[in-house]
Amino acid sequence: MYRLFIIILFFFGNALAQNSSDIKRILLFQDQLNKEFASEETSPLTPKDLKSFKSLSFFKIDTSFCIKAKFVRTPYETPFVMKTTTGNEPIYVKYGEAHFVLQDKKHVLNIYQNQGLTTQLEYEDYLFLPFTDVTNGETSYDGGRYIDLKIPDGDTILIDFNTAYNPYCAYSERYSCPIPPEENDLDIKISVGVKKHMKHPENE
């Protein structure tokens, strides 16, 4: 009985430590994003929105949305033009797939690589995950959200929906943003990450 108690205590403590690590990482992501938005040099906000900016609106952190997904590499994919909110035509290639279970449902999301960024050293391992879900247009941005990823070393990849953020065009029409492909639509609510931006009344 005592041994069983020790085993249970070990796994419970390990889970708490893991949750604490996840929460710290998510809080760091939120802090860095707020700093980006607060700076005139890097903020996508309009001047009027920037003047009153204090913090982005985030859903409550939920570590059950930190998903360790099975990563399936899909080589030999044909590059394609991803649709954008403007006439821009960025070239992407499907780099792989993320297979996971969330809210008792099996899901597959395509992960992409921007071919225009692969020549830049700082983006050589960068991957792009655009997606839509049931919250779009209600509590999150109508056009879906993005998650930044890196090429994994093995056959698993961490997808943390708590780090889902809005495309820049959610804040200003001067930006051109990729539109998440239809195959990356999730039929569940992803109630974590960045919420829908409420624009300054004079910017409507």
Side-chain angles (χ1 to χ4, degrees):
M1 184 69 178
Y2 178 75
R3 185 178 179 182
L4 178 61
F5 173 75
I6 293 297
I7 292 173
I8 293 174
L9 189 63
F10 171 78
F11 282 107
F12 180 69
N14 191 49
L16 283 179
Q18 188 172 15
N19 282 348
S20 176
S21 177
D22 287 334
I23 290 172
K24 287 180 180 178
R25 176 177 47 76
I26 295 164
L27 288 174
L28 179 61
F29 162 80
Q30 293 182 353
D31 182 61
Q32 291 176 335
L33 199 59
N34 275 330
K35 287 179 179 177
E36 175 187 326
F37 274 68
S39 170
E40 289 185 10
E41 297 177 353
T42 57
S43 181
L45 295 171
T46 62
K48 290 177 181 176
D49 279 338
L50 181 60
K51 188 176 181 180
S52 60
F53 177 77
K54 291 183 175 60
S55 172
L56 290 170
S57 181
F58 297 94
F59 287 99
K60 183 179 178 180
I61 292 174
D62 185 346
T63 56
S64 69
F65 284 89
C66 299
I67 307 298
K68 190 175 183 180
K70 178 178 176 57
F71 178 73
V72 179
R73 181 75 170 93
T74 55
Y76 315 118
E77 293 280 348
T78 302
F80 69 98
V81 174
M82 187 174 289
K83 294 180 180 179
T84 65
T85 53
T86 64
N88 285 3
E89 298 184 338
I91 304 299
Y92 283 82
V93 67
K94 178 182 172 182
Y95 190 87
E97 297 175 348
H99 296 247
F100 58 96
V101 176
L102 182 59
Q103 297 179 7
D104 298 322
K105 290 184 177 181
K106 292 182 179 181
H107 305 280
V108 179
L109 288 176
N110 290 343
I111 298 174
Y112 304 95
Q113 186 180 58
N114 185 314
Q115 298 302 281
L117 294 178
T118 55
T119 57
Q120 301 181 34
L121 186 60
E122 63 268 37
Y123 290 105
E124 63 180 358
D125 62 348
Y126 173 74
L127 296 177
F128 178 57
L129 175 57
F131 72 95
T132 52
D133 70 275
V134 178
T135 66
N136 297 154
E138 296 180 359
T139 52
S140 69
Y141 177 58
D142 307 45
R145 291 177 288 172
Y146 304 157
I147 296 176
D148 294 332
L149 299 172
K150 290 186 177 181
I151 296 174
D153 293 328
D155 60 356
T156 61
I157 189 167
L158 175 65
I159 298 178
D160 187 354
F161 288 101
N162 290 275
T163 62
Y165 64 93
N166 295 329
Y168 275 8
C169 53
Y171 306 98
S172 173
E173 294 180 354
R174 69 178 184 270
Y175 293 99
S176 177
C177 305
I179 298 172
E182 292 182 7
E183 54 265 33
N184 271 17
D185 179 55
L186 295 169
D187 60 349
I188 58 174
K189 288 187 176 182
I190 304 296
S191 299
V192 288
V194 179
K195 288 186 175 181
K196 186 175 184 178
H197 173 61
M198 302 305 292
K199 294 183 178 180
H200 190 285
E202 294 183 29
N203 291 332
E204 295 292 347

PDB file of all heavy atoms in Angstrom, residues 34-51:
ATOM      1  N   ASN A  34       3.402  40.778 -25.739  1.00  0.00           N
ATOM      2  CA  ASN A  34       2.975  42.099 -25.266  1.00  0.00           C
ATOM      3  C   ASN A  34       4.055  43.148 -25.501  1.00  0.00           C
ATOM      4  O   ASN A  34       3.755  44.287 -25.873  1.00  0.00           O
ATOM      5  CB  ASN A  34       2.615  42.042 -23.778  1.00  0.00           C
ATOM      6  CG  ASN A  34       1.187  41.583 -23.541  1.00  0.00           C
ATOM      7  OD1 ASN A  34       0.300  41.809 -24.356  1.00  0.00           O
ATOM      8  ND2 ASN A  34       0.967  40.924 -22.411  1.00  0.00           N
ATOM      9  N   LYS A  35       5.321  42.774 -25.289  1.00  0.00           N
ATOM     10  CA  LYS A  35       6.424  43.709 -25.521  1.00  0.00           C
ATOM     11  C   LYS A  35       6.518  44.077 -26.997  1.00  0.00           C
ATOM     12  O   LYS A  35       6.785  45.227 -27.353  1.00  0.00           O
ATOM     13  CB  LYS A  35       7.742  43.097 -25.046  1.00  0.00           C
ATOM     14  CG  LYS A  35       7.874  43.049 -23.524  1.00  0.00           C
ATOM     15  CD  LYS A  35       9.192  42.416 -23.103  1.00  0.00           C
ATOM     16  CE  LYS A  35       9.320  42.390 -21.583  1.00  0.00           C
ATOM     17  NZ  LYS A  35      10.562  41.714 -21.143  1.00  0.00           N
ATOM     18  N   GLU A  36       6.302  43.094 -27.867  1.00  0.00           N
ATOM     19  CA  GLU A  36       6.325  43.345 -29.313  1.00  0.00           C
ATOM     20  C   GLU A  36       5.226  44.330 -29.699  1.00  0.00           C
ATOM     21  O   GLU A  36       5.444  45.242 -30.496  1.00  0.00           O
ATOM     22  CB  GLU A  36       6.137  42.032 -30.057  1.00  0.00           C
ATOM     23  CG  GLU A  36       6.028  42.177 -31.570  1.00  0.00           C
ATOM     24  CD  GLU A  36       5.663  40.883 -32.267  1.00  0.00           C
ATOM     25  OE1 GLU A  36       6.092  39.818 -31.784  1.00  0.00           O
ATOM     26  OE2 GLU A  36       4.926  40.932 -33.284  1.00  0.00           O
ATOM     27  N   PHE A  37       4.045  44.143 -29.120  1.00  0.00           N
ATOM     28  CA  PHE A  37       2.910  44.997 -29.457  1.00  0.00           C
ATOM     29  C   PHE A  37       3.012  46.386 -28.828  1.00  0.00           C
ATOM     30  O   PHE A  37       2.415  47.334 -29.327  1.00  0.00           O
ATOM     31  CB  PHE A  37       1.598  44.325 -29.025  1.00  0.00           C
ATOM     32  CG  PHE A  37       1.036  43.386 -30.051  1.00  0.00           C
ATOM     33  CD1 PHE A  37       1.686  42.212 -30.361  1.00  0.00           C
ATOM     34  CD2 PHE A  37      -0.148  43.677 -30.727  1.00  0.00           C
ATOM     35  CE1 PHE A  37       1.180  41.330 -31.313  1.00  0.00           C
ATOM     36  CE2 PHE A  37      -0.665  42.814 -31.684  1.00  0.00           C
ATOM     37  CZ  PHE A  37       0.004  41.640 -31.982  1.00  0.00           C
ATOM     38  N   ALA A  38       3.759  46.505 -27.741  1.00  0.00           N
ATOM     39  CA  ALA A  38       3.887  47.789 -27.059  1.00  0.00           C
ATOM     40  C   ALA A  38       4.933  48.694 -27.703  1.00  0.00           C
ATOM     41  O   ALA A  38       4.956  49.899 -27.457  1.00  0.00           O
ATOM     42  CB  ALA A  38       4.230  47.572 -25.588  1.00  0.00           C
ATOM     43  N   SER A  39       5.791  48.114 -28.534  1.00  0.00           N
ATOM     44  CA  SER A  39       6.872  48.876 -29.165  1.00  0.00           C
ATOM     45  C   SER A  39       6.426  49.475 -30.497  1.00  0.00           C
ATOM     46  O   SER A  39       5.857  48.784 -31.343  1.00  0.00           O
ATOM     47  CB  SER A  39       8.076  47.956 -29.390  1.00  0.00           C
ATOM     48  OG  SER A  39       9.041  48.597 -30.206  1.00  0.00           O
ATOM     49  N   GLU A  40       6.698  50.749 -30.686  1.00  0.00           N
ATOM     50  CA  GLU A  40       6.343  51.414 -31.944  1.00  0.00           C
ATOM     51  C   GLU A  40       7.062  50.774 -33.126  1.00  0.00           C
ATOM     52  O   GLU A  40       6.562  50.782 -34.249  1.00  0.00           O
ATOM     53  CB  GLU A  40       6.684  52.905 -31.874  1.00  0.00           C
ATOM     54  CG  GLU A  40       5.786  53.707 -30.946  1.00  0.00           C
ATOM     55  CD  GLU A  40       6.104  55.199 -31.023  1.00  0.00           C
ATOM     56  OE1 GLU A  40       6.871  55.600 -31.922  1.00  0.00           O
ATOM     57  OE2 GLU A  40       5.579  55.951 -30.189  1.00  0.00           O
ATOM     58  N   GLU A  41       8.235  50.223 -32.886  1.00  0.00           N
ATOM     59  CA  GLU A  41       9.046  49.656 -33.961  1.00  0.00           C
ATOM     60  C   GLU A  41       8.529  48.313 -34.452  1.00  0.00           C
ATOM     61  O   GLU A  41       8.731  47.949 -35.614  1.00  0.00           O
ATOM     62  CB  GLU A  41      10.492  49.507 -33.492  1.00  0.00           C
ATOM     63  CG  GLU A  41      11.153  50.830 -33.145  1.00  0.00           C
ATOM     64  CD  GLU A  41      12.552  50.645 -32.605  1.00  0.00           C
ATOM     65  OE1 GLU A  41      12.952  49.476 -32.389  1.00  0.00           O
ATOM     66  OE2 GLU A  41      13.257  51.650 -32.405  1.00  0.00           O
ATOM     67  N   THR A  42       7.877  47.547 -33.579  1.00  0.00           N
ATOM     68  CA  THR A  42       7.454  46.193 -33.949  1.00  0.00           C
ATOM     69  C   THR A  42       5.953  45.951 -33.868  1.00  0.00           C
ATOM     70  O   THR A  42       5.483  44.890 -34.266  1.00  0.00           O
ATOM     71  CB  THR A  42       8.151  45.155 -33.039  1.00  0.00           C
ATOM     72  OG1 THR A  42       7.852  45.457 -31.667  1.00  0.00           O
ATOM     73  CG2 THR A  42       9.654  45.175 -33.246  1.00  0.00           C
ATOM     74  N   SER A  43       5.204  46.910 -33.374  1.00  0.00           N
ATOM     75  CA  SER A  43       3.768  46.695 -33.170  1.00  0.00           C
ATOM     76  C   SER A  43       2.974  46.766 -34.473  1.00  0.00           C
ATOM     77  O   SER A  43       3.188  47.654 -35.293  1.00  0.00           O
ATOM     78  CB  SER A  43       3.207  47.737 -32.198  1.00  0.00           C
ATOM     79  OG  SER A  43       1.828  47.511 -31.979  1.00  0.00           O
ATOM     80  N   PRO A  44       2.024  45.839 -34.668  1.00  0.00           N
ATOM     81  CA  PRO A  44       1.146  45.903 -35.840  1.00  0.00           C
ATOM     82  C   PRO A  44      -0.088  46.786 -35.584  1.00  0.00           C
ATOM     83  O   PRO A  44      -0.908  46.978 -36.477  1.00  0.00           O
ATOM     84  CB  PRO A  44       0.721  44.439 -36.022  1.00  0.00           C
ATOM     85  CG  PRO A  44       0.665  43.916 -34.626  1.00  0.00           C
ATOM     86  CD  PRO A  44       1.809  44.582 -33.903  1.00  0.00           C
ATOM     87  N   LEU A  45      -0.195  47.301 -34.367  1.00  0.00           N
ATOM     88  CA  LEU A  45      -1.362  48.109 -34.000  1.00  0.00           C
ATOM     89  C   LEU A  45      -1.369  49.445 -34.730  1.00  0.00           C
ATOM     90  O   LEU A  45      -0.316  49.993 -35.071  1.00  0.00           O
ATOM     91  CB  LEU A  45      -1.379  48.362 -32.488  1.00  0.00           C
ATOM     92  CG  LEU A  45      -1.548  47.148 -31.581  1.00  0.00           C
ATOM     93  CD1 LEU A  45      -1.332  47.542 -30.128  1.00  0.00           C
ATOM     94  CD2 LEU A  45      -2.927  46.522 -31.768  1.00  0.00           C
ATOM     95  N   THR A  46      -2.552  49.980 -34.941  1.00  0.00           N
ATOM     96  CA  THR A  46      -2.676  51.319 -35.502  1.00  0.00           C
ATOM     97  C   THR A  46      -2.207  52.308 -34.439  1.00  0.00           C
ATOM     98  O   THR A  46      -2.202  51.986 -33.243  1.00  0.00           O
ATOM     99  CB  THR A  46      -4.133  51.624 -35.874  1.00  0.00           C
ATOM    100  OG1 THR A  46      -4.937  51.587 -34.682  1.00  0.00           O
ATOM    101  CG2 THR A  46      -4.670  50.617 -36.880  1.00  0.00           C
ATOM    102  N   PRO A  47      -1.815  53.516 -34.824  1.00  0.00           N
ATOM    103  CA  PRO A  47      -1.343  54.505 -33.842  1.00  0.00           C
ATOM    104  C   PRO A  47      -2.339  54.753 -32.706  1.00  0.00           C
ATOM    105  O   PRO A  47      -1.935  54.870 -31.544  1.00  0.00           O
ATOM    106  CB  PRO A  47      -1.145  55.762 -34.693  1.00  0.00           C
ATOM    107  CG  PRO A  47      -0.802  55.230 -36.048  1.00  0.00           C
ATOM    108  CD  PRO A  47      -1.660  54.003 -36.198  1.00  0.00           C
ATOM    109  N   LYS A  48      -3.623  54.790 -33.019  1.00  0.00           N
ATOM    110  CA  LYS A  48      -4.627  55.043 -31.978  1.00  0.00           C
ATOM    111  C   LYS A  48      -4.757  53.863 -31.020  1.00  0.00           C
ATOM    112  O   LYS A  48      -4.922  54.033 -29.813  1.00  0.00           O
ATOM    113  CB  LYS A  48      -5.979  55.365 -32.618  1.00  0.00           C
ATOM    114  CG  LYS A  48      -6.005  56.717 -33.304  1.00  0.00           C
ATOM    115  CD  LYS A  48      -7.332  56.975 -34.002  1.00  0.00           C
ATOM    116  CE  LYS A  48      -7.307  58.332 -34.700  1.00  0.00           C
ATOM    117  NZ  LYS A  48      -8.552  58.575 -35.463  1.00  0.00           N
ATOM    118  N   ASP A  49      -4.690  52.638 -31.562  1.00  0.00           N
ATOM    119  CA  ASP A  49      -4.741  51.458 -30.700  1.00  0.00           C
ATOM    120  C   ASP A  49      -3.481  51.352 -29.850  1.00  0.00           C
ATOM    121  O   ASP A  49      -3.531  50.948 -28.689  1.00  0.00           O
ATOM    122  CB  ASP A  49      -4.912  50.187 -31.540  1.00  0.00           C
ATOM    123  CG  ASP A  49      -6.362  49.956 -31.948  1.00  0.00           C
ATOM    124  OD1 ASP A  49      -7.256  50.502 -31.281  1.00  0.00           O
ATOM    125  OD2 ASP A  49      -6.589  49.236 -32.935  1.00  0.00           O
ATOM    126  N   LEU A  50      -2.342  51.690 -30.447  1.00  0.00           N
ATOM    127  CA  LEU A  50      -1.074  51.605 -29.731  1.00  0.00           C
ATOM    128  C   LEU A  50      -1.039  52.584 -28.559  1.00  0.00           C
ATOM    129  O   LEU A  50      -0.496  52.267 -27.488  1.00  0.00           O
ATOM    130  CB  LEU A  50       0.090  51.900 -30.681  1.00  0.00           C
ATOM    131  CG  LEU A  50       1.492  51.819 -30.081  1.00  0.00           C
ATOM    132  CD1 LEU A  50       1.765  50.424 -29.522  1.00  0.00           C
ATOM    133  CD2 LEU A  50       2.532  52.181 -31.137  1.00  0.00           C
ATOM    134  N   LYS A  51      -1.643  53.735 -28.750  1.00  0.00           N
ATOM    135  CA  LYS A  51      -1.644  54.758 -27.708  1.00  0.00           C
ATOM    136  C   LYS A  51      -2.326  54.277 -26.430  1.00  0.00           C
ATOM    137  O   LYS A  51      -1.906  54.615 -25.321  1.00  0.00           O
ATOM    138  CB  LYS A  51      -2.341  56.020 -28.234  1.00  0.00           C
ATOM    139  CG  LYS A  51      -2.234  57.220 -27.325  1.00  0.00           C
ATOM    140  CD  LYS A  51      -2.861  58.437 -27.969  1.00  0.00           C
ATOM    141  CE  LYS A  51      -2.734  59.666 -27.050  1.00  0.00           C
ATOM    142  NZ  LYS A  51      -3.341  60.887 -27.673  1.00  0.00           N
TER     143      LYS A  51
END
